[in-house]
Amino acid sequence: MKIVLAYSGGLDTSVALHWLKEKYDAEVIAFCADIGQLESLEAVRDRALRTGASKVYMEPLSERYLRDFALPALQAHARYENKYLVAAPLSRPLIAQRMVEIAHAEGADAVAHGATGKGNDQVRFHTSVTALDPGLKVLAPVIDWELTTRESEIAYAREHGIEVSVTKENPYSIDTNIWGTSIECGELDDVEQAPPARAWQLTADPKSAPDRAERITVGFEGGVPVALDGEKLELTELVGRLNTVAARHGVGRVDIVESRIVGFKTRGIYEAPAATVLMAAHEELEAVVLDRETLHHKQSLALRYAELAYYGYWFSDLRRALDGFVATLQPQVNGEITMELYKGSCTVVSRRSPNSRYSGALATYEAGDTFDHKAGAGFAYVWSLPLTRP
């Protein structure tokens, strides 16, 4: 048997690699997507080989991830439960897509992941692989094995000489990519307590962030961020630079009790410095260039889009249809938004667009007002007719 395993180098997938080899007497091919993780990927490759992988696929996929997954979510303004910018959920369909492609190339019988039965990712991986190739078997060793706690996994790893970074002193489950970082488990399971300072991975504590605000300008063409402070940049470089700047000011932290796919509540903290700034800027630019009815309808779809990403329905017809709607609007989304970053906040201070629908002459109450006030009175009369009684 030949299995392609989505491998991160963490506790679950490291133990899973060894367990799959023993359980199925299988050849296990490890696949690690390089999408901007914090850890050294060369160390991850070496760990996979030492743990028994027959081959390791390690591919730079940040550009593909941003272009094909994060950018559509940005343009749709996807926030799960109006808070979470779904960085990890957006990476799962990409990982599943590449696993299926590798399985086809290698003649593998199955793909596997390291998600738990109570987690969201086991649903996302299974759903994505099934949508792409229902004939491939999807294995979930963390659900099937006898290791019922993280402590027992750590003990298994030590027993079999598997190197892992998780210890009782460092209990967090951390998932990182260029769009954001997710941190769960450990003390974070206590929703009555604030996150420990050591849990945050990227961002400065807003209280100790610089005492002087910093202004940055993001330029958009066709809804795509293309420039930072007037300098044209490729998307990957722009996001990388913006992550550094915004993180320095403590921007992009979220602490949320969220509703998991499988039905219960969980607590997680998330850091998405660049994504937070870009979302605020893109939303503000659309507020300037889209008409009221289109803008309001698009806002009503943003939560649904985030749900589809979070639920693992990326390869659904509905998500593609929503992308089609959003894409028709992006040619108007051109211009610059200037933001002020200060101690965890990200505030819009300036808006410029050649497609702006804003008219100072109509909006002003000072001299130069061009609005027809008498027509406004007539409009109010007509507008109120549905509420009148005969």
Side-chain angles (χ1 to χ4, degrees), residues 354-365:
N355 305 116
S356 174
R357 292 176 182 265
Y358 177 82
S359 168
L362 288 173
T364 186
Y365 284 87

Side-chain angles (χ1 to χ4, degrees), residues 138-150:
V138 183
L139 301 176
V142 180
I143 298 173
D144 296 335
W145 63 31
E146 66 283 359
L147 308 172
T148 56
T149 65
R150 291 181 74 77

Side-chain angles (χ1 to χ4, degrees), residues 215-290:
R215 290 192 176 186
I216 53 120
T217 299
V218 182
F220 290 86
E221 292 180 3
V224 179
V226 296
L228 188 58
D229 294 330
E231 182 182 356
K232 286 291 185 75
L233 298 169
E234 294 297 323
L235 185 57
T236 304
E237 185 176 1
L238 187 150
V239 172
R241 286 197 197 180
L242 196 49
N243 268 327
T244 300
V245 174
R248 183 168 64 242
H249 291 275
V251 171
R253 290 186 171 190
V254 170
D255 180 351
I256 178 176
V257 174
E258 69 195 62
S259 306
R260 282 200 173 184
I261 300 172
V262 292
F264 63 91
K265 300 282 187 179
T266 187
R267 194 268 193 94
I269 60 174
Y270 302 103
E271 297 172 279
T276 298
V277 173
L278 291 175
M279 187 77 75
H282 191 276
E283 284 182 316
E284 195 67 21
L285 191 53
E286 283 200 341
V288 172
V289 304
L290 297 184

